[in-house]
PDB file of all heavy atoms in Angstrom:
ATOM      1  N   ALA A 603       4.717  -3.702  -3.702  1.00 97.00           N
ATOM      2  CA  ALA A 603       3.868  -4.298  -2.627  1.00 97.00           C
ATOM      3  C   ALA A 603       4.029  -5.799  -2.578  1.00 97.00           C
ATOM      4  O   ALA A 603       4.120  -6.354  -1.501  1.00 97.00           O
ATOM      5  CB  ALA A 603       2.407  -3.887  -2.868  1.00 97.00           C
ATOM      6  N   GLU A 604       4.053  -6.435  -3.724  1.00 97.00           N
ATOM      7  CA  GLU A 604       4.236  -7.894  -3.766  1.00 97.00           C
ATOM      8  C   GLU A 604       5.595  -8.293  -3.181  1.00 97.00           C
ATOM      9  O   GLU A 604       5.679  -9.254  -2.437  1.00 97.00           O
ATOM     10  CB  GLU A 604       4.078  -8.415  -5.203  1.00 97.00           C
ATOM     11  CG  GLU A 604       2.644  -8.345  -5.701  1.00 97.00           C
ATOM     12  CD  GLU A 604       2.527  -8.702  -7.162  1.00 97.00           C
ATOM     13  OE1 GLU A 604       3.466  -9.151  -7.769  1.00 97.00           O
ATOM     14  OE2 GLU A 604       1.420  -8.567  -7.690  1.00 97.00           O
ATOM     15  N   GLU A 605       6.611  -7.523  -3.552  1.00 97.00           N
ATOM     16  CA  GLU A 605       7.966  -7.825  -3.048  1.00 97.00           C
ATOM     17  C   GLU A 605       8.058  -7.619  -1.529  1.00 97.00           C
ATOM     18  O   GLU A 605       8.671  -8.435  -0.838  1.00 97.00           O
ATOM     19  CB  GLU A 605       9.000  -6.964  -3.767  1.00 97.00           C
ATOM     20  CG  GLU A 605       9.178  -7.296  -5.246  1.00 97.00           C
ATOM     21  CD  GLU A 605      10.071  -6.314  -5.966  1.00 97.00           C
ATOM     22  OE1 GLU A 605      10.780  -5.512  -5.327  1.00 97.00           O
ATOM     23  OE2 GLU A 605      10.106  -6.342  -7.189  1.00 97.00           O
ATOM     24  N   VAL A 606       7.435  -6.573  -1.056  1.00 97.00           N
ATOM     25  CA  VAL A 606       7.446  -6.276   0.386  1.00 97.00           C
ATOM     26  C   VAL A 606       6.709  -7.383   1.143  1.00 97.00           C
ATOM     27  O   VAL A 606       7.140  -7.866   2.187  1.00 97.00           O
ATOM     28  CB  VAL A 606       6.870  -4.904   0.670  1.00 97.00           C
ATOM     29  CG1 VAL A 606       6.562  -4.689   2.125  1.00 97.00           C
ATOM     30  CG2 VAL A 606       7.823  -3.804   0.201  1.00 97.00           C
ATOM     31  N   GLU A 607       5.545  -7.782   0.587  1.00 96.00           N
ATOM     32  CA  GLU A 607       4.796  -8.850   1.247  1.00 96.00           C
ATOM     33  C   GLU A 607       5.585 -10.187   1.224  1.00 96.00           C
ATOM     34  O   GLU A 607       5.556 -10.924   2.217  1.00 96.00           O
ATOM     35  CB  GLU A 607       3.442  -9.049   0.548  1.00 96.00           C
ATOM     36  CG  GLU A 607       2.456  -8.003   0.894  1.00 96.00           C
ATOM     37  CD  GLU A 607       1.117  -8.181   0.163  1.00 96.00           C
ATOM     38  OE1 GLU A 607       1.116  -8.802  -0.917  1.00 96.00           O
ATOM     39  OE2 GLU A 607       0.142  -7.625   0.682  1.00 96.00           O
ATOM     40  N   ALA A 608       6.266 -10.455   0.164  1.00 97.00           N
ATOM     41  CA  ALA A 608       7.069 -11.660   0.081  1.00 97.00           C
ATOM     42  C   ALA A 608       8.194 -11.653   1.125  1.00 97.00           C
ATOM     43  O   ALA A 608       8.480 -12.683   1.774  1.00 97.00           O
ATOM     44  CB  ALA A 608       7.665 -11.888  -1.325  1.00 97.00           C
ATOM     45  N   LEU A 609       8.782 -10.487   1.303  1.00 96.00           N
ATOM     46  CA  LEU A 609       9.808 -10.337   2.349  1.00 96.00           C
ATOM     47  C   LEU A 609       9.226 -10.610   3.739  1.00 96.00           C
ATOM     48  O   LEU A 609       9.813 -11.340   4.537  1.00 96.00           O
ATOM     49  CB  LEU A 609      10.422  -8.953   2.257  1.00 96.00           C
ATOM     50  CG  LEU A 609      11.372  -8.567   3.399  1.00 96.00           C
ATOM     51  CD1 LEU A 609      12.609  -9.443   3.375  1.00 96.00           C
ATOM     52  CD2 LEU A 609      11.791  -7.112   3.229  1.00 96.00           C
ATOM     53  N   GLY A 610       8.068  -9.983   3.980  1.00 96.00           N
ATOM     54  CA  GLY A 610       7.425 -10.193   5.276  1.00 96.00           C
ATOM     55  C   GLY A 610       7.068 -11.663   5.507  1.00 96.00           C
ATOM     56  O   GLY A 610       7.271 -12.198   6.600  1.00 96.00           O
ATOM     57  N   ALA A 611       6.546 -12.317   4.444  1.00 96.00           N
ATOM     58  CA  ALA A 611       6.185 -13.711   4.572  1.00 96.00           C
ATOM     59  C   ALA A 611       7.415 -14.599   4.824  1.00 96.00           C
ATOM     60  O   ALA A 611       7.361 -15.512   5.665  1.00 96.00           O
ATOM     61  CB  ALA A 611       5.469 -14.202   3.305  1.00 96.00           C
ATOM     62  N   ALA A 612       8.496 -14.289   4.153  1.00 96.00           N
ATOM     63  CA  ALA A 612       9.731 -15.061   4.393  1.00 96.00           C
ATOM     64  C   ALA A 612      10.213 -14.877   5.831  1.00 96.00           C
ATOM     65  O   ALA A 612      10.616 -15.855   6.472  1.00 96.00           O
ATOM     66  CB  ALA A 612      10.820 -14.599   3.418  1.00 96.00           C
ATOM     67  N   LEU A 613      10.142 -13.678   6.329  1.00 96.00           N
ATOM     68  CA  LEU A 613      10.589 -13.448   7.732  1.00 96.00           C
ATOM     69  C   LEU A 613       9.635 -14.108   8.703  1.00 96.00           C
ATOM     70  O   LEU A 613      10.070 -14.579   9.759  1.00 96.00           O
ATOM     71  CB  LEU A 613      10.675 -11.931   7.988  1.00 96.00           C
ATOM     72  CG  LEU A 613      11.803 -11.231   7.230  1.00 96.00           C
ATOM     73  CD1 LEU A 613      11.644  -9.690   7.418  1.00 96.00           C
ATOM     74  CD2 LEU A 613      13.180 -11.688   7.652  1.00 96.00           C
ATOM     75  N   CYS A 614       8.387 -14.200   8.415  1.00 94.00           N
ATOM     76  CA  CYS A 614       7.402 -14.851   9.276  1.00 94.00           C
ATOM     77  C   CYS A 614       7.619 -16.335   9.390  1.00 94.00           C
ATOM     78  O   CYS A 614       7.169 -16.981  10.335  1.00 94.00           O
ATOM     79  CB  CYS A 614       5.968 -14.571   8.833  1.00 94.00           C
ATOM     80  SG  CYS A 614       5.423 -12.889   9.239  1.00 94.00           S
ATOM     81  N   CYS A 615       8.302 -16.918   8.412  1.00 96.00           N
ATOM     82  CA  CYS A 615       8.564 -18.361   8.449  1.00 96.00           C
ATOM     83  C   CYS A 615       9.514 -18.753   9.561  1.00 96.00           C
ATOM     84  O   CYS A 615       9.551 -19.874   9.983  1.00 96.00           O
ATOM     85  CB  CYS A 615       9.094 -18.827   7.088  1.00 96.00           C
ATOM     86  SG  CYS A 615       7.836 -18.793   5.824  1.00 96.00           S
ATOM     87  N   ASP A 616      10.287 -17.805  10.012  1.00 95.00           N
ATOM     88  CA  ASP A 616      11.194 -18.039  11.126  1.00 95.00           C
ATOM     89  C   ASP A 616      10.491 -17.593  12.427  1.00 95.00           C
ATOM     90  O   ASP A 616      10.296 -16.382  12.632  1.00 95.00           O
ATOM     91  CB  ASP A 616      12.491 -17.213  10.923  1.00 95.00           C
ATOM     92  CG  ASP A 616      13.516 -17.466  12.009  1.00 95.00           C
ATOM     93  OD1 ASP A 616      13.147 -17.589  13.200  1.00 95.00           O
ATOM     94  OD2 ASP A 616      14.743 -17.536  11.675  1.00 95.00           O
ATOM     95  N   MET A 617      10.065 -18.544  13.193  1.00 95.00           N
ATOM     96  CA  MET A 617       9.271 -18.195  14.387  1.00 95.00           C
ATOM     97  C   MET A 617      10.001 -17.338  15.355  1.00 95.00           C
ATOM     98  O   MET A 617       9.355 -16.498  16.034  1.00 95.00           O
ATOM     99  CB  MET A 617       8.791 -19.502  15.082  1.00 95.00           C
ATOM    100  CG  MET A 617       7.705 -20.259  14.259  1.00 95.00           C
ATOM    101  SD  MET A 617       6.375 -19.154  13.669  1.00 95.00           S
ATOM    102  CE  MET A 617       5.412 -19.000  15.195  1.00 95.00           C
ATOM    103  N   ASP A 618      11.320 -17.450  15.472  1.00 96.00           N
ATOM    104  CA  ASP A 618      12.061 -16.562  16.392  1.00 96.00           C
ATOM    105  C   ASP A 618      11.929 -15.108  15.938  1.00 96.00           C
ATOM    106  O   ASP A 618      11.692 -14.184  16.732  1.00 96.00           O
ATOM    107  CB  ASP A 618      13.549 -16.967  16.455  1.00 96.00           C
ATOM    108  CG  ASP A 618      13.766 -18.278  17.236  1.00 96.00           C
ATOM    109  OD1 ASP A 618      12.901 -18.593  18.130  1.00 96.00           O
ATOM    110  OD2 ASP A 618      14.753 -18.942  16.932  1.00 96.00           O
ATOM    111  N   ILE A 619      12.107 -14.914  14.621  1.00 94.00           N
ATOM    112  CA  ILE A 619      11.968 -13.551  14.097  1.00 94.00           C
ATOM    113  C   ILE A 619      10.545 -13.059  14.238  1.00 94.00           C
ATOM    114  O   ILE A 619      10.296 -11.902  14.687  1.00 94.00           O
ATOM    115  CB  ILE A 619      12.412 -13.523  12.614  1.00 94.00           C
ATOM    116  CG1 ILE A 619      13.909 -13.730  12.486  1.00 94.00           C
ATOM    117  CG2 ILE A 619      11.983 -12.210  11.956  1.00 94.00           C
ATOM    118  CD1 ILE A 619      14.403 -13.859  11.073  1.00 94.00           C
ATOM    119  N   ALA A 620       9.604 -13.933  13.931  1.00 93.00           N
ATOM    120  CA  ALA A 620       8.179 -13.530  13.991  1.00 93.00           C
ATOM    121  C   ALA A 620       7.794 -13.128  15.434  1.00 93.00           C
ATOM    122  O   ALA A 620       7.130 -12.119  15.620  1.00 93.00           O
ATOM    123  CB  ALA A 620       7.285 -14.681  13.522  1.00 93.00           C
TER     124      ALA A 620
END
Side-chain angles (χ1 to χ4, degrees):
E604 290 174 9
E605 291 173 14
V606 167
E607 284 178 336
L609 172 63
L613 293 171
C614 283
C615 288
D616 183 321
M617 289 311 282
D618 288 334
I619 290 174

